[in-house]
PDB file of all heavy atoms in Angstrom:
ATOM      1  N   VAL A   6      40.841 -52.536  34.467  1.00 87.00           N
ATOM      2  CA  VAL A   6      39.393 -52.705  34.326  1.00 87.00           C
ATOM      3  C   VAL A   6      39.086 -54.029  33.639  1.00 87.00           C
ATOM      4  O   VAL A   6      38.180 -54.772  34.046  1.00 87.00           O
ATOM      5  CB  VAL A   6      38.767 -51.525  33.546  1.00 87.00           C
ATOM      6  CG1 VAL A   6      37.290 -51.794  33.247  1.00 87.00           C
ATOM      7  CG2 VAL A   6      38.910 -50.225  34.330  1.00 87.00           C
ATOM      8  N   GLU A   7      39.861 -54.351  32.619  1.00 88.00           N
ATOM      9  CA  GLU A   7      39.657 -55.599  31.875  1.00 88.00           C
ATOM     10  C   GLU A   7      39.839 -56.807  32.799  1.00 88.00           C
ATOM     11  O   GLU A   7      39.093 -57.787  32.720  1.00 88.00           O
ATOM     12  CB  GLU A   7      40.644 -55.659  30.695  1.00 88.00           C
ATOM     13  CG  GLU A   7      40.209 -56.557  29.560  1.00 88.00           C
ATOM     14  CD  GLU A   7      38.750 -56.388  29.134  1.00 88.00           C
ATOM     15  OE1 GLU A   7      38.225 -55.258  29.073  1.00 88.00           O
ATOM     16  OE2 GLU A   7      38.125 -57.434  28.894  1.00 88.00           O
ATOM     17  N   TYR A   8      40.803 -56.727  33.698  1.00 86.00           N
ATOM     18  CA  TYR A   8      41.032 -57.806  34.674  1.00 86.00           C
ATOM     19  C   TYR A   8      39.754 -58.073  35.471  1.00 86.00           C
ATOM     20  O   TYR A   8      39.352 -59.213  35.667  1.00 86.00           O
ATOM     21  CB  TYR A   8      42.183 -57.431  35.616  1.00 86.00           C
ATOM     22  CG  TYR A   8      42.361 -58.413  36.753  1.00 86.00           C
ATOM     23  CD1 TYR A   8      43.205 -59.514  36.614  1.00 86.00           C
ATOM     24  CD2 TYR A   8      41.675 -58.259  37.956  1.00 86.00           C
ATOM     25  CE1 TYR A   8      43.360 -60.433  37.644  1.00 86.00           C
ATOM     26  CE2 TYR A   8      41.823 -59.173  38.990  1.00 86.00           C
ATOM     27  CZ  TYR A   8      42.660 -60.252  38.831  1.00 86.00           C
ATOM     28  OH  TYR A   8      42.799 -61.157  39.859  1.00 86.00           O
ATOM     29  N   TYR A   9      39.110 -57.005  35.945  1.00 86.00           N
ATOM     30  CA  TYR A   9      37.896 -57.175  36.755  1.00 86.00           C
ATOM     31  C   TYR A   9      36.722 -57.660  35.906  1.00 86.00           C
ATOM     32  O   TYR A   9      35.875 -58.401  36.399  1.00 86.00           O
ATOM     33  CB  TYR A   9      37.558 -55.883  37.498  1.00 86.00           C
ATOM     34  CG  TYR A   9      38.595 -55.572  38.555  1.00 86.00           C
ATOM     35  CD1 TYR A   9      39.530 -54.566  38.373  1.00 86.00           C
ATOM     36  CD2 TYR A   9      38.672 -56.333  39.723  1.00 86.00           C
ATOM     37  CE1 TYR A   9      40.508 -54.311  39.314  1.00 86.00           C
ATOM     38  CE2 TYR A   9      39.648 -56.089  40.673  1.00 86.00           C
ATOM     39  CZ  TYR A   9      40.567 -55.074  40.471  1.00 86.00           C
ATOM     40  OH  TYR A   9      41.546 -54.837  41.411  1.00 86.00           O
ATOM     41  N   ASN A  10      36.681 -57.255  34.640  1.00 87.00           N
ATOM     42  CA  ASN A  10      35.632 -57.766  33.758  1.00 87.00           C
ATOM     43  C   ASN A  10      35.782 -59.281  33.560  1.00 87.00           C
ATOM     44  O   ASN A  10      34.813 -60.030  33.633  1.00 87.00           O
ATOM     45  CB  ASN A  10      35.663 -57.058  32.401  1.00 87.00           C
ATOM     46  CG  ASN A  10      35.065 -55.661  32.463  1.00 87.00           C
ATOM     47  OD1 ASN A  10      34.179 -55.388  33.268  1.00 87.00           O
ATOM     48  ND2 ASN A  10      35.552 -54.772  31.615  1.00 87.00           N
ATOM     49  N   ILE A  11      37.008 -59.719  33.340  1.00 91.00           N
ATOM     50  CA  ILE A  11      37.280 -61.135  33.071  1.00 91.00           C
ATOM     51  C   ILE A  11      37.125 -61.986  34.337  1.00 91.00           C
ATOM     52  O   ILE A  11      36.630 -63.101  34.297  1.00 91.00           O
ATOM     53  CB  ILE A  11      38.700 -61.313  32.473  1.00 91.00           C
ATOM     54  CG1 ILE A  11      38.756 -60.683  31.074  1.00 91.00           C
ATOM     55  CG2 ILE A  11      39.111 -62.773  32.417  1.00 91.00           C
ATOM     56  CD1 ILE A  11      40.151 -60.480  30.538  1.00 91.00           C
ATOM     57  N   ASN A  12      37.562 -61.425  35.484  1.00 90.00           N
ATOM     58  CA  ASN A  12      37.585 -62.189  36.736  1.00 90.00           C
ATOM     59  C   ASN A  12      36.485 -61.774  37.716  1.00 90.00           C
ATOM     60  O   ASN A  12      36.615 -61.971  38.928  1.00 90.00           O
ATOM     61  CB  ASN A  12      38.953 -62.021  37.413  1.00 90.00           C
ATOM     62  CG  ASN A  12      40.075 -62.574  36.557  1.00 90.00           C
ATOM     63  OD1 ASN A  12      40.251 -63.771  36.457  1.00 90.00           O
ATOM     64  ND2 ASN A  12      40.821 -61.676  35.923  1.00 90.00           N
ATOM     65  N   ALA A  13      35.405 -61.209  37.191  1.00 89.00           N
ATOM     66  CA  ALA A  13      34.353 -60.641  38.047  1.00 89.00           C
ATOM     67  C   ALA A  13      33.786 -61.650  39.036  1.00 89.00           C
ATOM     68  O   ALA A  13      33.605 -61.332  40.219  1.00 89.00           O
ATOM     69  CB  ALA A  13      33.241 -60.038  37.193  1.00 89.00           C
ATOM     70  N   ASP A  14      33.507 -62.862  38.581  1.00 87.00           N
ATOM     71  CA  ASP A  14      32.904 -63.856  39.475  1.00 87.00           C
ATOM     72  C   ASP A  14      33.819 -64.197  40.640  1.00 87.00           C
ATOM     73  O   ASP A  14      33.399 -64.194  41.791  1.00 87.00           O
ATOM     74  CB  ASP A  14      32.534 -65.134  38.709  1.00 87.00           C
ATOM     75  CG  ASP A  14      31.300 -64.936  37.833  1.00 87.00           C
ATOM     76  OD1 ASP A  14      30.454 -64.076  38.182  1.00 87.00           O
ATOM     77  OD2 ASP A  14      31.175 -65.632  36.812  1.00 87.00           O
ATOM     78  N   SER A  15      35.090 -64.478  40.342  1.00 88.00           N
ATOM     79  CA  SER A  15      36.015 -64.864  41.415  1.00 88.00           C
ATOM     80  C   SER A  15      36.324 -63.670  42.315  1.00 88.00           C
ATOM     81  O   SER A  15      36.453 -63.814  43.529  1.00 88.00           O
ATOM     82  CB  SER A  15      37.301 -65.471  40.847  1.00 88.00           C
ATOM     83  OG  SER A  15      37.979 -64.521  40.046  1.00 88.00           O
ATOM     84  N   PHE A  16      36.407 -62.471  41.737  1.00 83.00           N
ATOM     85  CA  PHE A  16      36.682 -61.292  42.559  1.00 83.00           C
ATOM     86  C   PHE A  16      35.497 -61.000  43.480  1.00 83.00           C
ATOM     87  O   PHE A  16      35.664 -60.700  44.659  1.00 83.00           O
ATOM     88  CB  PHE A  16      37.010 -60.065  41.709  1.00 83.00           C
ATOM     89  CG  PHE A  16      37.505 -58.909  42.526  1.00 83.00           C
ATOM     90  CD1 PHE A  16      38.827 -58.850  42.940  1.00 83.00           C
ATOM     91  CD2 PHE A  16      36.640 -57.909  42.933  1.00 83.00           C
ATOM     92  CE1 PHE A  16      39.276 -57.809  43.741  1.00 83.00           C
ATOM     93  CE2 PHE A  16      37.079 -56.865  43.735  1.00 83.00           C
ATOM     94  CZ  PHE A  16      38.406 -56.820  44.128  1.00 83.00           C
ATOM     95  N   PHE A  17      34.289 -61.111  42.941  1.00 89.00           N
ATOM     96  CA  PHE A  17      33.084 -60.900  43.746  1.00 89.00           C
ATOM     97  C   PHE A  17      33.055 -61.899  44.907  1.00 89.00           C
ATOM     98  O   PHE A  17      32.907 -61.519  46.066  1.00 89.00           O
ATOM     99  CB  PHE A  17      31.827 -61.060  42.876  1.00 89.00           C
ATOM    100  CG  PHE A  17      30.544 -60.832  43.623  1.00 89.00           C
ATOM    101  CD1 PHE A  17      29.984 -59.566  43.703  1.00 89.00           C
ATOM    102  CD2 PHE A  17      29.900 -61.883  44.268  1.00 89.00           C
ATOM    103  CE1 PHE A  17      28.799 -59.348  44.407  1.00 89.00           C
ATOM    104  CE2 PHE A  17      28.720 -61.674  44.967  1.00 89.00           C
ATOM    105  CZ  PHE A  17      28.168 -60.404  45.044  1.00 89.00           C
ATOM    106  N   ALA A  18      33.233 -63.173  44.568  1.00 87.00           N
ATOM    107  CA  ALA A  18      33.180 -64.227  45.592  1.00 87.00           C
ATOM    108  C   ALA A  18      34.263 -64.039  46.657  1.00 87.00           C
ATOM    109  O   ALA A  18      34.020 -64.277  47.840  1.00 87.00           O
ATOM    110  CB  ALA A  18      33.324 -65.594  44.927  1.00 87.00           C
ATOM    111  N   GLU A  71      31.330 -55.615  34.347  1.00 96.00           N
ATOM    112  CA  GLU A  71      30.940 -56.884  34.964  1.00 96.00           C
ATOM    113  C   GLU A  71      30.805 -56.756  36.479  1.00 96.00           C
ATOM    114  O   GLU A  71      29.927 -57.370  37.094  1.00 96.00           O
ATOM    115  CB  GLU A  71      31.933 -57.995  34.587  1.00 96.00           C
ATOM    116  CG  GLU A  71      31.915 -58.351  33.112  1.00 96.00           C
ATOM    117  CD  GLU A  71      30.538 -58.812  32.626  1.00 96.00           C
ATOM    118  OE1 GLU A  71      29.847 -59.518  33.374  1.00 96.00           O
ATOM    119  OE2 GLU A  71      30.150 -58.468  31.489  1.00 96.00           O
ATOM    120  N   MET A  72      31.667 -55.951  37.097  1.00 96.00           N
ATOM    121  CA  MET A  72      31.531 -55.740  38.547  1.00 96.00           C
ATOM    122  C   MET A  72      30.275 -54.919  38.837  1.00 96.00           C
ATOM    123  O   MET A  72      29.569 -55.177  39.818  1.00 96.00           O
ATOM    124  CB  MET A  72      32.765 -55.029  39.124  1.00 96.00           C
ATOM    125  CG  MET A  72      34.024 -55.869  39.178  1.00 96.00           C
ATOM    126  SD  MET A  72      33.859 -57.511  39.934  1.00 96.00           S
ATOM    127  CE  MET A  72      33.341 -57.129  41.595  1.00 96.00           C
ATOM    128  N   ARG A  75      27.243 -57.235  38.898  1.00 97.00           N
ATOM    129  CA  ARG A  75      27.145 -58.056  40.107  1.00 97.00           C
ATOM    130  C   ARG A  75      26.819 -57.204  41.332  1.00 97.00           C
ATOM    131  O   ARG A  75      26.012 -57.601  42.173  1.00 97.00           O
ATOM    132  CB  ARG A  75      28.442 -58.851  40.302  1.00 97.00           C
ATOM    133  CG  ARG A  75      28.529 -60.023  39.335  1.00 97.00           C
ATOM    134  CD  ARG A  75      29.969 -60.417  39.029  1.00 97.00           C
ATOM    135  NE  ARG A  75      30.025 -61.450  37.986  1.00 97.00           N
ATOM    136  CZ  ARG A  75      29.889 -61.208  36.676  1.00 97.00           C
ATOM    137  NH1 ARG A  75      29.658 -59.977  36.247  1.00 97.00           N
ATOM    138  NH2 ARG A  75      29.968 -62.193  35.797  1.00 97.00           N
ATOM    139  N   GLU A 147      48.724 -58.793  35.872  1.00 84.00           N
ATOM    140  CA  GLU A 147      48.419 -57.863  34.771  1.00 84.00           C
ATOM    141  C   GLU A 147      48.017 -56.476  35.265  1.00 84.00           C
ATOM    142  O   GLU A 147      47.795 -55.568  34.474  1.00 84.00           O
ATOM    143  CB  GLU A 147      47.248 -58.430  33.943  1.00 84.00           C
ATOM    144  CG  GLU A 147      47.474 -59.817  33.376  1.00 84.00           C
ATOM    145  CD  GLU A 147      46.181 -60.616  33.337  1.00 84.00           C
ATOM    146  OE1 GLU A 147      45.195 -60.108  32.792  1.00 84.00           O
ATOM    147  OE2 GLU A 147      46.175 -61.740  33.864  1.00 84.00           O
ATOM    148  N   ARG A 148      47.879 -56.319  36.594  1.00 87.00           N
ATOM    149  CA  ARG A 148      47.361 -55.054  37.128  1.00 87.00           C
ATOM    150  C   ARG A 148      48.468 -54.159  37.674  1.00 87.00           C
ATOM    151  O   ARG A 148      49.447 -54.644  38.229  1.00 87.00           O
ATOM    152  CB  ARG A 148      46.339 -55.335  38.235  1.00 87.00           C
ATOM    153  CG  ARG A 148      45.078 -55.981  37.722  1.00 87.00           C
ATOM    154  CD  ARG A 148      44.146 -56.325  38.866  1.00 87.00           C
ATOM    155  NE  ARG A 148      44.731 -57.334  39.745  1.00 87.00           N
ATOM    156  CZ  ARG A 148      44.292 -57.601  40.969  1.00 87.00           C
ATOM    157  NH1 ARG A 148      43.286 -56.928  41.465  1.00 87.00           N
ATOM    158  NH2 ARG A 148      44.860 -58.538  41.692  1.00 87.00           N
TER     159      ARG A 148
END
Side-chain angles (χ1 to χ4, degrees):
V6 173
E7 203 46 40
Y8 173 90
Y9 292 106
N10 283 330
I11 293 165
N12 297 285
D14 286 332
S15 62
F16 189 81
F17 181 90
E71 294 302 322
M72 289 310 299
R75 285 153 186 79
E147 303 146 52
R148 293 176 295 164

